[in-house]
Amino acid sequence: MDVKKAIEKRRAYRSLEKKDIKKSLIKDLARCAQLSASCFNNQPWNYIFVYKPEMLNKMHDALSSGNDWAKKASMIIVVLGKKDDDCVIYDRIYYRFDIGMATQNIILRATELGLVAHPIAGYSPRKTRKILGIPEELDVITLVIVGKHSKKINDLLYEKQIEAEKERPERKKIQDFVFYNKYGNK
Ligand SMILES: Cc1cc2nc3c(=O)[nH]c(=O)nc-3n(C[C@H](O)[C@H](O)[C@H](O)COP(=O)(O)O)c2cc1C
């Protein structure tokens, strides 16, 4: 097993080049989501794999201005779900957690296959809904931008994004988020 390798390799790169998207890739990624754990096995996830050039072009209009780099996407995975499709236990609402886990399976598998799979929050859910015909009751949770990593840094990137292409953005120290046996125990 080499899960750790994919975890270490995964990066939210923003310099992309085109990659031909085949149905077999989509099925492979979907299978990895399908196998994910979910509360009561509710499987609350829905995905739209957008890869036709004319649909990708339409999606450009839904991207926020800092995400112009995503116009080079070969595929955009639109992650959808709704609260009622999964466990709600008092104030614990599980659909976003379960959909996040399934989506991470997709991202890690894409990484293993040598692709970039970069989730973004900078988009208009309203425009995305309109372009793709998504019903109101489904939340547009994230877009995952898929492509091939380009060694040439995208001209559209600003300083901080260029830095992030070269080096992984800094992480909190493990001792800042891990406790041993009891809350507060470092
Ligand atoms: C929910 C979510 C939303 C994000 N939104 C954006 C975004 O709108 N634009 C962007 O360029 N990166 C976005 N990112 C990527 C993060 O900036 C990136 O994961 C983080 O800086 C760490 O870098 P790394 O993933 O390469 O380790 C998002 C990531 C997540 C998980």
Side-chain angles (χ1 to χ4, degrees):
M1 272 194 226
D2 250 326
V3 180
K4 184 82 190 288
K5 216 165 157 182
I7 292 170
E8 294 277 357
K9 193 169 170 221
R10 186 215 58 80
R11 284 292 317 277
Y13 289 117
R14 298 179 177 88
S15 301
L16 303 177
E17 56 186 63
K18 285 284 175 186
K19 149 100 189 152
D20 193 31
I21 301 295
K22 298 209 163 60
K23 273 267 175 69
S24 57
L25 168 69
I26 295 173
K27 288 202 172 128
D28 185 329
L29 297 177
R31 172 68 176 155
C32 293
Q34 185 181 39
L35 292 174
S36 194
S38 60
C39 188
F40 266 95
N41 195 24
N42 279 327
Q43 306 168 62
W45 42 80
N46 290 261
Y47 296 98
I48 307 176
F49 292 86
V50 180
Y51 63 98
K52 270 194 176 172
E54 65 263 34
M55 294 310 288
L56 284 173
N57 275 341
K58 285 185 186 174
M59 281 299 291
H60 292 175
D61 192 38
L63 298 170
S64 305
S65 54
N67 283 333
D68 280 343
W69 57 268
K71 292 180 179 170
K72 293 240 171 100
S74 301
M75 177 159 71
I76 298 178
I77 307 174
V78 183
V79 182
L80 306 168
K82 63 174 192 282
K83 183 178 159 187
D84 297 347
D85 281 347
D86 206 354
C87 300
V88 177
I89 306 169
Y90 301 106
D91 61 346
R92 286 176 287 140
I93 300 168
Y94 279 100
Y95 75 116
R96 289 176 192 274
F97 178 78
D98 288 351
I99 294 170
M101 291 208 299
T103 304
Q104 180 74 329
N105 279 6
I106 289 179
I107 290 171
L108 290 179
R109 176 62 176 153
T111 304
E112 184 179 40
L113 294 171
L115 298 168
V116 174
H118 180 154
I120 62 166
Y123 59 91
S124 158
R126 185 183 57 80
K127 288 183 183 169
T128 303
R129 242 193 213 102
K130 197 158 174 231
I131 296 163
L132 303 177
I134 299 163
E136 272 302 321
E137 76 256 23
L138 284 170
D139 299 342
V140 184
I141 296 170
T142 193
L143 307 183
V144 182
I145 307 302
V146 179
K148 191 168 172 260
H149 184 210
S150 167
K151 293 239 158 62
K152 186 185 169 299
I153 290 182
N154 190 326
D155 300 332
L156 296 168
L157 301 188
Y158 51 83
E159 201 56 44
K160 212 164 168 229
Q161 293 175 324
I162 293 171
E163 267 172 44
E165 290 300 277
K166 295 176 186 160
E167 211 170 316
R168 189 191 287 278
E170 206 177 321
R171 293 308 204 251
K172 288 182 183 174
K173 293 189 177 69
I174 287 178
Q175 61 263 36
D176 291 342
F177 64 90
V178 169
F179 307 116
Y180 296 95
N181 299 309
K182 204 173 168 191
Y183 184 79
N185 260 11
K186 300 266 182 187

